[in-house]
Amino acid sequence: MLLHDTALIFGRYARQTLRSKFQMLFGVLMPLLYLLFFGPLLSDLPLGREGDSWQILVPGLLLQLGLFGASFAGFSLIMEKNWGVVERMRVTPVSRLALLLGRVLRDASLFVFQAVLLVLAALAMGLRAPLAGILIGFVFVALLTFALASLSYALAMKVRTAQEFGPTINALSLPAMLLSGLMLPMALAPGWLDVLSHFMPFRYLVDAVRDAYVGRYATTTMLYGVLVAVALTALAVMVGTRTFRRAGA
């Protein structure tokens, strides 16, 4: 029944997304602008790690897409609460875990699709990376989306208005982006900032994807990235499920 209920919820939200071409394409706009206007600035700069500027920038943009997109996923749930949709779902026999997983699967599918568009644009601009590395990058985007969307929905169940939700997400996501080295490797940072960044789990993900984009798969960095991504996803889904069950969502 869990698989059936999850597929049912996923289908509902996937159909909503497919009817909104604007939603499908707009999310990739900010990373695409970074790619077009920021990427060329890095072409001749020493960036402190293996790979050219595109192999360093594009993995960061992929995870930036997941970071900001998935973090704000809870806005839709707040609107559903205001419209009474969540109240009506409380009386259905659908699994509370399925109510979360169906939403998150839709989000992961959407952001992986947008990540494909971003990589295609990067390839046109000069990115050269092994196919296996590109596919690994998509897996990390999906895992990051799963984790952050779950936490975003959990927060949306706790707050009452978008005015509470938005500033909270901004206050958390911006430091996460800056301390993770999404735009530039943390090897360029002062020592104290580099040390501080190791407490940010997203750093391990972006370092792992950058290794994959230069064809380095059997590395300690990749192992750390996989372990952190899986652990973060499992913890976030557990938190999200617990919140949904307590709220009777």
Side-chain angles (χ1 to χ4, degrees):
M1 288 302 297
L2 175 61
L3 292 177
H4 175 270
D5 291 347
T6 300
L8 186 68
I9 299 300
F10 170 77
R12 178 184 188 274
Y13 289 105
R15 286 190 296 272
Q16 287 183 355
T17 301
L18 290 173
R19 286 196 294 265
S20 175
K21 303 299 187 294
F22 179 81
Q23 180 185 5
M24 293 177 62
L25 299 175
F26 185 76
V28 78
L29 179 60
M30 185 173 70
L32 188 59
L33 290 176
Y34 274 111
L35 184 71
L36 293 174
F37 300 133
F38 186 68
L41 299 176
L42 306 179
S43 298
D44 299 319
L45 296 179
L47 297 177
R49 60 175 294 137
E50 184 179 351
D52 62 26
S53 59
W54 298 113
Q55 291 170 315
I56 291 173
L57 178 63
V58 173
L61 293 179
L62 289 176
L63 295 183
Q64 183 196 64
L65 177 67
L67 172 62
F68 284 98
S71 295
F72 285 94
F75 266 121
S76 62
L77 184 59
I78 291 176
M79 291 188 291
E80 288 187 347
K81 286 169 60 179
N82 294 334
W83 294 336
V85 175
V86 173
E87 189 67 29
R88 291 194 292 272
M89 284 184 173
R90 286 177 175 169
V91 300
T92 68
V94 175
S95 164
R96 298 304 182 249
L97 178 58
L99 290 174
L100 175 66
L101 292 181
R103 288 179 169 94
V104 173
L105 278 173
R106 186 281 309 268
D107 295 329
S109 301
L110 173 61
F111 293 128
V112 169
F113 169 73
Q114 292 176 348
V116 171
L117 297 181
L118 182 63
V119 169
L120 291 176
L123 289 171
M125 294 189 66
L127 170 68
R128 296 296 177 265
L131 178 60
I134 292 175
L135 296 178
I136 288 173
F138 294 151
V139 172
F140 273 95
V141 170
L143 288 173
L144 182 63
T145 299
F146 240 88
L148 294 183
S150 298
L151 295 176
S152 181
Y153 288 127
L155 177 62
M157 292 301 299
K158 293 290 188 180
V159 302
R160 291 174 295 178
T161 65
Q163 288 74 18
E164 296 176 83
F165 181 85
T168 303
I169 293 297
N170 278 326
L172 295 173
S173 58
L174 187 57
M177 183 189 77
L178 296 175
L179 286 175
S180 300
L182 296 186
M183 305 308 300
L184 293 171
M186 293 307 294
L188 300 176
W192 66 270
L193 191 57
D194 185 34
V195 170
L196 186 60
S197 73
H198 282 88
F199 294 95
M200 184 59 63
F202 308 130
R203 170 174 179 162
Y204 299 96
L205 276 63
V206 70
D207 284 347
V209 178
R210 282 175 176 150
D211 269 13
Y213 265 56
V214 296
R216 300 177 64 219
Y217 310 118
T219 64
T220 303
T221 300
M222 180 64 69
L223 176 62
Y224 286 162
V226 171
L227 292 177
V228 170
V230 172
L232 181 63
T233 302
L235 178 63
V237 171
M238 182 177 67
V239 170
T241 304
R242 186 177 181 182
T243 302
F244 267 56
R245 284 174 176 164
R246 284 187 171 183

